[in-house]
Each structure stands twice: as C-alpha cells, then as structure tokens.
Amino acid sequence: MNDGVLIAACADAWRGDGAILASPMGPLPMLGARLAQATFAPELMVGDGESYLLRDGLIEGWLPYRAVFTIVAAGRRHVMMGASQLDRHGNQNISCIGEWARPTSQLLGVRGAPGNTINHTTSYFVPKHTRRVFVERVDMVSGIGYDRAAKVGARFHEIRRVITDKAVLDFETPDRTMRLRSLHPGVSLDDVLDNTGFDLSIPDDVPTTRTPTPAELEIIERLAGGVRSPA
Amino acid sequence: MDTDKVMTIDDVVGELRSGMTIGVGGWGSRRKPMALIRAIVRSDLTDLTIVSYGGPDVGLLMAAGKVKRVVCGFVSLDTIALEPHFRRGRQDGTIELTELDEGMLYWGLLAAAHRLPFLPIRAGLGSDVMTVNSDLRTVRSPYGDAEELVAMPALELDAALIHLNRADRRGNGQYLGPDPYFDDLFCLAAARRFVSCERIVETSQLREAGPVQSLLVNRMMVDGVVETPHGAHFTSCAPDYGRDEAFQKRYAETEWSAFRATYLDGTEDDYQRAVGSHE
C-alpha cells in the first residue's frame, strides 16, 4: 500500500480535534499528525516522541513524561497507538500473547493503554492487517473497548479510527462494534474479510480511502526528509 | 563534614538487603543508574522487587537472577522495542510481575511521596490490569458524582537509585537533559535514597551548569552521592552523552553468560575500559 494513503488516513483521524495533543506512535502516524498540523489542523499540538512540542520544525513547548500524564487525565489528547491484537469491540492488547501468568510471547506491557483509552480519544494504527491482529478475543485487555468502557461507565472513552494497510475502520455502529469505513485503493472487500478474525459491519456502499492531494504529498515528502526517529 | 554524603558504588550496595523493594529512576533506556545496577549484578543480593519505568536495568538484574518481582508498566530498550531478558523471564515464569498502567505507577509513587495509602485514578478501570492484580481495589467518590475510580496503592520503596548529570557532596542533584523523568518522586517515595552522577561539583557550580529548575533533588531527599562518570552507559544521559546504540544491540543479542563474563565480572572501571574499546 502507498504510504501516502496511510499517512493521509492517519492525519484525518485528528480532523476537528482542535488544540489538543496528538500522540502518534510509530513513523507513519507521526507523519500523519504532522501532516494534519501543517494543513487542516494548525491548532494541533505534536510532540517529537521525547520531551518537546514541535511546530514547523521549531520547539514551541516542553512536554516531559510527567506532563503527558496530566494531559492524559485532563483529556486534551488523541493518541494513535499500535495494537498486537484488537477485537470487534475495540479491546486492544500490547502486553503479551498467551496466558498472562506465563505468556508464550511477552510484548511491551500495557504501557499507557488503560489510562489513554479511559481518558481520551484513541485511534489505532495496524501496519499489517491479519487474523493474528484482528481476533475474536484479545489475550490481555490493555486498551479498553466499547463493551468494557460501558461496563465501568467510562465517560471519556472514544475509539475514533483503526487504520491498517488495507482499510480504515471505525465503531460508528449502533452497538459500537467495528465497521469497515473505507477500503484503500486497490484493496478488495474479500481481502479485508479474509484477514479479519471476526464479523465486521459492512456498509452497503464501501467508500474508497482518499488519496492525498499533490500539496499534501509535497508536505509529506518534506516532513519525511526531516522526520525524527520515533520513540 | 557531617553533611558529606559521598559514597562509593560498593558502599551503596552495602546498604541494600536481599528482599528489598528498590525503585530505579530514569525511563526505558534513558538515564538509568547503570553503574549501580552493575554493582548489584556483582553482589550477592537476591529476591529484589524492582519498581521501574523499565529498561535494561530490569533486564540486567533479571538475567543475573536478582529479581523476584517487577512492578512496571512496560520494559523496553526504546530503539529495541522488547527487552530480551524481561521477555525470557516472563516466558519462562521465573519472575513475578505487577503490571500497571504507566500513569498508575506515577500515581503510586506520588501517593508514597505524600504518605497517603492510595490516590484515586481513572487509569486501569475496565482493563485487565484490574484482573491480573487481584489486590487492586476501587474507591467511590463521596461527592454527588459518586464516580468509581481505581484506588492506586502507595508504592513505598525501601531504596531509590537514580542517576543525574551533576550533584554536590551534600546531595543536591541536577538534571541537564530535557526530561526529569520521575527521579525526584522515586527519592520521595523511598526510605533510603542514592544518587549517582556524572560529576560531583561544588554547590556554586550547580547554578552555573543550569537554571534553578534543573535542581531536581535536594539534600532532604538524598542519603548518598556517588560519582560514576559514564555511569548511565549504555542508556542515554543527555546532554553528557547519548545512548550507545551499538553496545545496546550487543547487550540485546549476546548470550548472557558471555556478556556477563566480558563486561560485568570485573569492576566498574573494568567495564568502562571494556566499553571504551568499542567506541
């Protein structure tokens, strides 16, 4: 898949968020956040993956880790995390695969996923859309999905988008389960269904994910040239 | 004279006991008190509980068989996402884990620093952090909202180990990089507090090196000061030095007994000499 389509899809996740902190994890979401800031979302705050807020390549603020947790609690943030597993309710796992007590594969740990998902808008970026990721049931709920959020009365929970190498997905269904929002150019519906381990909600007419404009492509090119390595 | 807190690395280790709960400052593979960690690896301490924003500190201590329990939200080498020794220990079932959201770890240290039994926090609700930690409880707001929140228990530490850029002999310590991480909180949460630093300087030189806001810990918060030049190696210690990525890769990829024999069986000076040969 053309990275430009993925970067623009990531950028679109932050559309309308205003002056909040965009926290992209990984190089393509980082380019997406910076593209959004450079075009339709100039109010967006974007960190450098360490301790600075950057705009137009200049430091505009200081954001050490402890300040991030205050922003998380205040809700002025929209994070785009990775996901080793995701289920149809949006429960996410980055902790470990297998039984938690003795995992077959230890991954990162829950990191900030529980706090992110209960406090503010969250999106996910999945570079490889497979049945290993899109599972019926995640092994360890790190980021909470809509079913879990409803059970604990989470007032600030929102999963905005899931962006993969094949499609854009969301939870804009009556029962808040995962829906196909758009297919990337050249990707078939069957390709997505074959690689998703649960029933997806499919609209009658599935749109095609937009391609970036020439102006956006130019900006991506410029940003990618000077992009910092992600944390 | 009585306010002089300068110690050696071995003095610090001599103050620690097997079974202690030890907080380690820094974050991931950033400004970790690695010289002190290496000294623990060489010691006969065992059964430690390590509270950490985990990086190679956790990995080294686990590989050396020093760790009974890890209390953390993650263990990562930053540029190498997964810590190999932490992974192995979890997968082999050789350590116990208290897995928390990163914000909960912060809150637990803050509660201990404030001598509170717990602090309420939203993070954790609905997630499996609540199921894998069966001792975690919630608390309900006594006000009109009646919101249910996680009662994050205080993370009280027997000892804290942190590494800073500069300190004076009395225990005033300074960070000069872009992030203090949580080092002051680790000190405030601990009964005994030890600071290693790149350089011990005169008190007057602290203000010459950085703004007053960079004076992260003061002598109320510190019991011992150790000068360990390059003591955060191979983690980053901005602005004095960055992470030694090549060496970190070697650490992650070398079989433990070979790594230990080459780099850790001698003194800290031996380590720094051996590392220097790779620069």
Side-chain angles (χ1 to χ4, degrees):
Chain A
M1 179 47 53
N2 179 342
D3 280 355
V5 171
L6 305 191
I7 292 164
C10 289
D12 285 344
W14 281 288
R15 206 177 271 276
D17 275 338
I20 60 148
L21 177 65
S23 293
M25 313 278 172
L28 295 186
M30 175 61 96
L31 284 170
R34 296 183 66 198
L35 174 64
Q37 189 196 44
T39 54
F40 56 79
E43 313 92 338
L44 206 60
M45 311 288 286
V46 183
D48 69 339
E50 296 211 7
S51 315
Y52 298 123
L53 293 164
L54 297 181
R55 184 166 175 190
D56 302 329
L58 299 173
I59 294 169
E60 64 167 335
W62 183 46
L63 196 74
Y65 278 112
R66 64 180 68 191
V68 173
F69 292 117
T70 301
I71 292 171
V72 168
R76 300 201 61 79
R77 185 168 182 252
H78 175 173
V79 67
M80 188 175 287
M81 284 187 283
S84 305
Q85 293 179 322
L86 265 176
D87 73 15
R88 62 197 293 265
H89 300 288
N91 293 294
Q92 169 248 30
N93 176 19
I94 48 173
S95 170
C96 64
I97 301 298
E99 200 187 327
W100 182 86
R102 186 156 174 195
T104 52
S105 180
Q106 174 65 43
L107 305 175
L108 269 179
V110 295
R111 287 217 52 178
N116 292 344
T117 48
I118 202 149
N119 278 299
H120 57 65
T121 305
T122 300
S123 291
Y124 294 108
F125 181 76
V126 176
K128 236 181 142 164
H129 190 135
T130 68
R131 281 174 180 261
R132 283 170 67 108
V133 177
F134 291 91
V135 294
E136 197 63 56
R137 215 184 144 81
V138 306
D139 293 338
M140 202 277 184
V141 176
S142 311
I144 65 172
Y146 279 97
D147 54 343
R148 296 278 194 126
K151 244 179 242 169
V152 296
R155 293 181 282 157
F156 309 117
H157 178 266
E158 181 199 1
I159 306 177
R160 180 81 55 84
R161 296 271 197 283
V162 179
I163 293 142
T164 79
D165 59 336
K166 296 183 191 299
V168 179
L169 307 122
D170 63 27
F171 297 85
E172 294 177 20
T173 49
D175 62 352
R176 291 300 206 173
T177 53
M178 203 185 289
R179 174 187 88 137
L180 182 60
R181 183 183 180 89
S182 65
L183 286 167
H184 297 338
V187 176
S188 72
L189 178 58
D190 280 345
D191 189 5
V192 168
L193 296 179
D194 289 349
N195 287 289
T196 305
F198 52 79
D199 283 341
L200 264 183
S201 177
I202 311 290
D204 293 338
D205 283 308
V206 182
T208 302
T209 312
R210 77 176 181 94
T211 48
T213 65
E216 284 178 320
L217 284 173
E218 233 171 79
I219 291 166
I220 291 169
E221 196 76 14
R222 177 167 59 78
L223 293 175
V227 78
R228 295 186 184 211
S229 63
Chain B
M1 189 64 187
D2 57 340
T3 55
D4 192 313
K5 293 173 182 164
V6 175
M7 306 172 82
T8 66
I9 289 173
D10 292 331
D11 291 338
V12 174
V13 175
E15 298 234 7
L16 306 177
R17 298 288 173 267
S18 291
M20 272 189 171
T21 296
I22 298 176
V24 182
W27 192 98
S29 192
R30 306 178 196 189
R31 203 156 45 67
K32 286 287 178 178
M34 295 299 280
L36 298 179
I37 297 297
R38 287 186 280 269
I40 297 175
V41 166
R42 289 190 298 266
S43 76
D44 55 9
L45 293 168
T46 55
D47 290 323
L48 301 175
T49 291
I50 302 298
V51 179
S52 178
Y53 285 88
D57 52 329
V58 171
L60 272 171
L61 293 174
M62 280 180 59
K66 302 298 179 189
V67 182
K68 179 177 179 228
R69 174 175 291 273
V70 178
V71 180
C72 69
F74 65 89
V75 182
S76 173
L77 299 174
D78 290 357
T79 43
I80 299 169
L82 305 179
E83 218 297 339
H85 300 302
F86 174 66
R87 292 196 84 189
R88 190 168 313 115
R90 281 281 286 146
Q91 291 165 195
D92 292 349
T94 54
I95 57 141
E96 296 167 23
L97 176 65
T98 298
E99 183 165 2
L100 302 169
D101 171 87
E102 290 176 55
M104 292 172 76
L105 190 61
Y106 176 15
W107 241 222
L109 294 170
L110 197 61
H114 292 177
R115 301 187 299 177
L116 290 168
F118 71 91
L119 277 173
I121 187 169
R122 273 195 195 89
L125 286 177
S127 79
D128 278 340
V129 162
M130 302 305 289
T131 50
V132 302
N133 297 295
S134 55
D135 52 343
L136 274 177
R137 296 287 177 265
T138 58
V139 63
R140 198 169 284 284
S141 164
Y143 300 106
D145 55 277
E147 185 169 354
E148 190 176 21
L149 298 157
V150 175
M152 179 59 209
L155 290 169
E156 289 171 1
L157 309 172
D158 296 310
L161 308 176
I162 69 170
H163 183 81
L164 295 174
N165 302 90
R166 306 284 178 271
D168 68 13
R169 304 175 70 86
R170 299 185 176 95
N172 298 302
Q174 179 175 44
Y175 78 107
L176 297 173
D179 200 319
Y181 309 118
F182 301 90
D183 288 359
D184 49 339
L185 272 183
F186 278 100
C187 287
L188 290 167
R192 299 284 288 162
R193 299 78 44 98
F194 303 102
V195 179
S196 61
C197 65
E198 289 300 310
R199 257 198 305 134
I200 292 177
V201 297
E202 293 299 323
T203 307
S204 61
Q205 291 177 289
L206 293 171
R207 275 295 278 114
E208 291 162 22
V212 73
Q213 297 94 318
S214 65
L215 298 170
L216 187 65
V217 298
N218 58 55
R219 56 199 172 78
M220 279 185 282
M221 302 156 65
V222 172
D223 298 295
V225 179
V226 193
E227 189 176 69
T228 60
H230 228 210
H233 182 271
F234 48 89
T235 69
S236 62
C237 188
D240 291 315
Y241 46 88
R243 186 179 303 127
D244 186 341
E245 297 288 0
F247 188 85
Q248 172 161 286
K249 192 155 181 282
R250 182 182 307 244
Y251 159 74
E253 291 173 358
T254 306
E255 194 271 320
W256 169 248
S257 60
F259 183 87
R260 177 172 189 154
T262 309
Y263 297 108
L264 299 172
D265 280 347
T267 65
E268 176 67 12
D269 283 347
D270 293 334
Y271 173 84
Q272 294 295 350
R273 261 193 298 277
V275 165
S277 65
H278 296 295
E279 278 173 354

